[in-house]
């Protein structure tokens, strides 16, 4: 793959860009501190903005790597941070990449996540050269699966008791898309 790192992307309603330290309050207030939002995630709810700053520092340092992909989603209309989307795993042997995302509760059900994921898919397939992009969700969180379906991913199956998140050990539904299927 031809890694290009986290480049700025725009959709009709969103700006996808790199995190900056100035984003800590927005991330903390809009999603990282909300137990409902982090319920099915693998990282804990942030108890204070310092935890969020620590995560953003990790991202800022990661941006020096060409194979680091971590975007914050910003609403053009609201001028507000609404979530983030990232490549959480890269498998160079198969040119595969796993996507993950999180969005603030007040932005749920508005199509923002699918819009962001579609833009990221296009870049990963067209510019990076990924062959397979995949994602998974706790079966108790079907809304995440609906995003996967909206962007054209195909359901591959459910692996029982195959992951752990803030709810404990979970059954995971897996989806994927192959470059040639677009």
């Amino acid at each position: 793959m031809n890694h290009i790192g986290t480049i700025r992307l725009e959709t009709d309603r969103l700006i996808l860009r790199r995190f900056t330290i100035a984003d800590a309050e927005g991330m903390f207030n809009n999603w990282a501190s909300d137990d409902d939002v982090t319920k099915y995630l693998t990282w804990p709810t942030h108890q204070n903005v310092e935890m969020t700053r620590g995560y953003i520092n990790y991202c800022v340092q990661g941006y020096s790597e060409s194979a680091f992909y971590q975007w914050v989603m910003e609403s053009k209309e609201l001028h507000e941070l609404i979530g983030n989307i990232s490549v959480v795993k890269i498998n160079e042997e198969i040119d595969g990449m796993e996507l993950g995302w999180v969005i603030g509760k007040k932005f749920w059900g508005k199509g923002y996540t699918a819009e962001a994921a579609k833009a990221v898919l296009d870049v990963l397939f067209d510019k990076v050269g990924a062959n397979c992009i995949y994602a998974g969700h706790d079966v108790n969180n079907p809304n995440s699966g609906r995003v996967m379906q909206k962007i054209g991913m195909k359901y591959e199956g459910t692996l029982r008791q195959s992951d752990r998140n803030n709810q404990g050990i979970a059954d995971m539904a897996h989806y994927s898309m192959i470059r040639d299927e677009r």
Side-chain angles (χ1 to χ4, degrees), residues 15-175:
I15 296 169
L16 305 178
R17 61 170 176 78
R18 293 178 173 195
F19 276 105
T20 68
I21 294 301
D23 295 328
E25 298 263 343
M27 178 180 177
F28 179 78
N29 292 330
N30 287 345
W31 69 91
S33 64
D34 188 331
D35 289 330
D36 289 336
V37 171
T38 62
K39 183 175 184 176
Y40 299 109
L41 299 181
T42 57
W43 49 268
T45 305
H46 291 190
Q47 300 304 308
N48 53 58
V49 76
E50 289 308 311
M51 287 180 75
T52 307
R53 278 193 192 94
Y55 175 75
I56 291 176
N57 274 326
Y58 157 79
C59 291
V60 169
Q61 291 173 5
Y63 292 135
S64 65
E65 302 293 325
S66 64
F68 187 82
Y69 301 95
Q70 179 69 253
W71 291 270
V72 63
M73 292 185 264
E74 182 178 340
S75 166
K76 289 179 180 179
E77 178 186 352
L78 304 172
H79 305 287
E80 190 171 3
L81 304 183
I82 66 170
N84 64 286
I85 185 167
S86 62
V87 173
V88 297
K89 199 176 293 177
I90 296 174
N91 184 335
E92 295 286 353
E93 290 184 25
I94 62 167
D95 294 336
M97 304 177 98
E98 182 178 356
L99 287 183
W101 49 72
V102 58
I103 190 165
K105 185 167 35 179
K106 67 183 179 179
F107 310 106
W108 288 356
K110 299 182 185 333
Y112 288 122
T113 307
E115 186 173 326
K118 178 74 172 83
V120 169
L121 275 178
D122 288 346
V123 165
L124 297 178
F125 281 130
D126 298 339
K127 295 188 178 186
V128 177
N131 180 56
C132 177
I133 298 175
Y134 48 96
H137 70 88
D138 182 317
V139 296
N140 295 310
N141 183 18
N143 290 337
S144 199
R146 280 195 272 288
V147 171
M148 295 168 201
Q149 293 166 7
K150 281 183 185 178
I151 63 174
M153 288 184 157
K154 292 183 179 175
Y155 174 70
E156 299 286 353
T158 298
L159 293 177
R160 298 175 301 143
Q161 306 290 292
S162 63
D163 205 356
R164 177 178 288 282
N165 61 33
N166 291 328
Q167 298 302 297
I169 296 173
D171 295 350
M172 295 295 290
H174 293 273
Y175 289 77

